[in-house]
Structures are given as structure tokens and as C-alpha cells.
Amino acid sequence: MPAEKFASAPARPAPQARPAEAAFFDVDNTLMRGASIFHVGRKMYERKAFTLRDAAGFAWKQFTFLLRGEKLEDVHSIQASALALAAGIRAEDVATVGYEVYDEMIESRIWPGAKALAEQHLRVGRRVWLVTATPIEIASVIAERLGLTGALGTVGEIENGAYTGRLVGEILHGRAKAEAAAELAEREGLDLKRCWAYSDSHNDIPLLSLVGHPVAINPDVRLRRHANAHNWPIYDFRAGRRAATLGLKLATVGGAIYGLWRSYTRFRR
């Protein structure tokens, strides 16, 4: 694995009707519901790469991610857990798992509205890139399956064909996403003022502010407030969002905890 600050998946050919324009999409809670790394962990557990306790930890982090949205400490916690569990796993196994995870778990969680936006950009000749903290191996599969141009993602260090549990560079998150997009724009000859960016998180405000057309998708409270203050478009694809009540949320929490407990006791038997 070359020691690059950020890694990108190979670009797919695209119509050159708008060669200086592109769209950048975050993945988790923007393009898909939930955190993609959780599903990788689940699949690796099925392959007995780690224990039920580790899998339960991933499940709880995914649940809190869905309930309260993306928080910086959650991203780093999930990433740290993933790196620790990945140490010693063969890179070729993760590549294979990526396709299984997409086909079995991620595809059904893609927001149709977000997918339609990406496809519209492609139709008019813009390139579409994923820019995500998700490991580059998984981000590349998502981009390939959706027919997008390519992906920028977090890079895990590989030695002798296996992950070491360390990163190359840093997690592609927050300001690092803006830096990666700026580097890609310079390399690809993009005019950022004519580009789009989509995210759900206030942590991605640096990326959104970098382009001429920022868009909030399923925004958290702080991003929604920022988007309204700056007159940015907002799309919310979460079904029944306005109908949600405190009682419904409490019922969801109770049901999820009960489900985790039932699953745990069943596996123990």
C-alpha cells in the first residue's frame, strides 16, 4: 500500500460535458442509512474474525449512530475499534467482504433520493466522488456498485498482505475531507466553485464550504442551523421524521435494547 495521505479508488470514465465540475458525497447517513463500517464488522464476525462481544460493541455504536447522528467522538471510537480488530486480517479477505457487505447489507440502505441526486450529476456529465471516513476498500466497492466516478477513503496500513491496525495518514473526516477534495480538484482540474458537496454532519462544514453548491442531506441539528443561516439547500430523506415523538424514540430504544439482549442470550446458548 503506497504511503499516500489519502487514497482514491480508480476513476471511472465519465462524459466530459462538464469536465471542470464534480459532486462530492459523504456516505454514512448521507448516501446510506447508518454506518457502513458496522456492516463490515458484522460480516467479519460471521467469518469468525472476532468475538461476539466485539460484534455487540459494533452493534451498540451503530444504534447510537442511527439514534443521534454523527459525532466526532463516535467516528473516532468506531474507527479505533475497527483498526484494532482489523490487525492481522488479510487485505484480500476485506476486498472480498466488501462486495458481500454491499450486496447483502448496504444496497438496501441506500437512500433512493441521494442515489437519484448522484445519478443526475452523472447524466449531465459531472464526475461523482465519494469522500468518506469509510475504509477505502469499502468506499471503492460502493462507488463501483453505484456506477460513480471513484472514492476517497481512510487508508489502513498493510504489511505482508495483512492490516497492521495502524492508519496511513489520518481518518478522512472533518477538515481532512476538505483537504482531500481540494487535492483531488487540483489533480483533476476541477473548479470547486462549480462543484457540489453533500453531507449530513456539521463535521463536514469545511467540505461543504469549499464548493460553490453545498447541500445538506438528513442534517444533524448543527448542520441544519448552519445550512439555514447560509441559505443552503436541505434534503431530508428520513421517512416520518416530522412525525417522530419522544415516546416513539423511547419505544425504539427499549425495543433495540431488548433485541440486543435476546440476540446475546441466543448466541450464548
Side-chain angles (χ1 to χ4, degrees), residues 148-230:
L148 308 182
T149 308
L152 301 174
T154 297
V155 185
E157 183 183 69
I158 298 174
E159 290 183 357
N160 300 319
Y163 289 95
T164 65
R166 298 186 295 270
L167 289 178
V168 175
E170 58 185 311
I171 296 173
L172 199 61
H173 186 262
R175 191 164 297 279
K177 284 188 182 180
E179 294 173 3
E183 291 178 11
L184 178 68
E186 183 176 359
R187 188 166 68 244
E188 297 290 326
L190 301 174
D191 180 353
L192 287 169
K193 294 303 178 186
R194 295 166 60 186
C195 290
W196 276 252
Y198 300 83
S199 179
D200 70 293
S201 173
H202 68 278
N203 292 310
D204 288 341
I205 288 176
L207 171 64
L208 294 167
S209 301
L210 184 70
V211 301
H213 304 283
V215 181
I217 291 184
N218 308 325
D220 60 28
V221 173
R222 290 173 62 181
L223 178 56
R224 183 178 292 275
R225 186 183 306 125
H226 188 92
N228 284 327
H230 291 79

